[in-house]
């Protein structure tokens, strides 16, 4: 029985590690998407300001 309990604890630990890794990966992907969105937004903003200045 103790061996089975140890195996269960190991499986739980492995699952917890995998879950936290998945959460970290999700957070990193969210951050990358946010940076891309901000970069695109900033470029669009810069382009519209440039267009205003160039229109004159």
């Amino acid at each position: 029985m103790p061996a089975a309990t140890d195996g269960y604890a190991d499986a739980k630990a492995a699952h917890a590690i995998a879950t936290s890794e998945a959460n970290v990966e999700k957070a990193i992907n969210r951050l990358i998407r946010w940076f891309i969105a901000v970069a695109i937004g900033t470029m669009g903003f810069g382009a519209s300001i440039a267009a205003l200045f160039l229109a004159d």
Side-chain angles (χ1 to χ4, degrees), residues 10-56:
D10 288 347
K12 266 187 83 165
H15 179 71
I17 290 168
T19 304
S20 65
E21 280 178 0
N23 288 342
V24 167
E25 210 170 305
K26 270 187 216 156
I28 289 171
N29 287 342
R30 205 173 295 136
L31 212 67
I32 290 169
R33 264 188 249 127
W34 183 82
F35 272 119
I36 290 170
V38 168
I40 291 170
T42 307
M43 284 192 310
F45 186 66
S48 58
I49 288 178
L52 283 174
F53 281 111
L54 293 172
D56 295 342

